[in-house]
Amino acid sequence: MRKRAAVLCTGLTVVALLVLGAGLGAYNGYLAMAWDRGVTTIDDSDLAAQLSVPTETETSAESSAVDILLIGTGEPRNEVGVAAASEIAADLVMLAHIPADRSGIQLVSIPDDASVSVPGGGHDTIEAAVSLGLPMAVRTVSNLLGTGIDHVVLVDLAMLDTVAALLGGIEVESTVAFESDGHNFTSGPNLLDSSSALAFFSGHGALPEGKLQRTHNRQEFIRAAGSQLVATGHLSEPLKMSAVITEISPYLSVDSGLDASTLVGLGSQLRAISEDDIDFITLPAAGDDATDDGRLRADRYDVEELKRSIAADSVGDYAAEATVRLR
C-alpha cells in the first residue's frame, strides 16, 4: 500500500485531511464529528475577509489549487482559540500548497526571523507580522508569496509532545548537536518522547549551523513523525485514527471554512499521493546572511521564481529544481 501524505498530516494541522477521506465508509461520520467537536473555530470577520474562497469539486481536474497557512504557537492550549485579532507569538509559519491536480503537497517554510514587507508597516520579521493577528498574517504571507490564502490553521505546539506520546517516541535525525530547553540533542538519530519533542522542534538555544538550521530540524521532525504515523497504522486503523483526531484536534484552531466536510473532500482528492509526492521548500535566503538588525534576508530573485511557480501552480517543478530546499 502506498504511503499516504503523512507529512502534511503531521504538518502540524490537518491530520484529518487524509484520514477523513480514507474510504472508511460510515466511520468517516464519527471521525468528522470528533474533528468538529475537538477543534476551535475562529469566527472572525476580518480574517474571513482576507481569505480566498477556493473552488473544490469532486473531480480534481475541476478543482483549484488550495493554499493553507499553518501557524504554530507556543502559547498555552487554552489561549490558542482567542480572537484572530489578538497578539500571536508565532513559532512556526508554513504555507501548504495543494495543486489543482492534487498530485502532491508542497510545504513552504518561512523562518520566523525572515524579513518581510508588512502591509502598512514597512519591513519587519514574519514573526512580528503574525504577532499583529491572523488577518495581518494572511495579508503578509499572501503578499510575500503572491497567492491568496484559502484556509488558516493555528496550532498549539504542545501538540508535538502529544504526538510523540501517541507514537511511543519519534526518531529524528539531526545534522548537528544542540541544546534546547534543558535537553541535549546529538548529531545523528534522536529518540524524542513526550518531554523532549517540543524542545527539539522549537530549538531554543544556540544552533551552530546558522539561522536556517532550526527550519531544517523542523522539517525533519515533520517528515519522521509522518512516516511513523503511517508505519504504526495511525492513518489506516480506525481505532488509532480516532485516537489521533481525539488527541490532536483540541490543539488546533481553524477558520470557519475548514470544517470536516471540507477536509473529507480534500482527503478524498489526495488519497492517491505518496510520501514521495511531498516537498519541503524553505523561503529562499541570501546565503545565511542577515540584515543589520539580525533579520534573515530573502533572495529576491529566487523568491520571485517561487511566486511565479505558485501563480502557475507548478510549485512541484520548482521544488524539484531548487537548490535551496533542505531535504
Side-chain angles (χ1 to χ4, degrees), residues 35 120 124 158 164 167 188 259 262 278 317 324:
W35 169 265
D124 211 327
L167 294 173
D259 57 12
T262 300
I278 309 298
D317 293 337
V324 295

Side-chain angles (χ1 to χ4, degrees), residues 6-17 35 38-40 70-78 80 91-92 94 153-170 192-202 218 221-222 225-226 229 235 243-254:
V7 173
L8 180 62
C9 293
T10 318
L12 305 180
T13 63
V14 273
V15 173
L17 198 144
W35 169 265
V39 301
T40 295
L70 317 176
I71 297 175
T73 176
E75 294 176 340
R77 174 167 34 171
N78 61 3
V80 169
D91 207 27
L92 172 84
M94 268 184 159
V153 180
L154 183 63
V155 186
D156 176 359
L157 293 178
M159 184 189 80
L160 304 180
D161 285 339
T162 298
V163 172
L166 278 171
L167 294 173
I170 303 171
L192 310 179
D193 59 20
S194 59
S195 68
S196 60
L198 178 56
F200 179 92
F201 190 88
S202 296
R218 290 173 169 183
F221 180 101
I222 294 170
L229 277 171
L235 300 184
V244 169
I245 292 177
T246 299
E247 291 290 331
I248 289 178
S249 58
Y251 292 92
L252 309 177
S253 297
V254 301

Side-chain angles (χ1 to χ4, degrees), residues 40 42 75 78-88 134 154 253:
T40 295
I42 303 169
E75 294 176 340
N78 61 3
E79 297 179 12
V80 169
V82 298
S86 300
E87 293 185 1
I88 299 169
L134 292 182
L154 183 63
S253 297

Side-chain angles (χ1 to χ4, degrees), residues 88-91 93 110-119 121-133 136-137 140-141 144 211 214 283 290-298:
I88 299 169
D91 207 27
V93 181
I110 305 174
D112 51 18
D113 56 356
S115 180
V116 297
S117 176
V118 182
H123 281 78
D124 211 327
T125 64
I126 186 65
E127 181 179 31
V130 174
S131 74
L132 300 176
M136 180 58 75
T140 301
V141 174
L144 175 67
K211 293 178 178 293
R214 182 162 66 160
L283 185 74
T291 61
D292 292 338
D293 54 6
R295 302 171 190 166
L296 191 69
R297 293 191 299 109

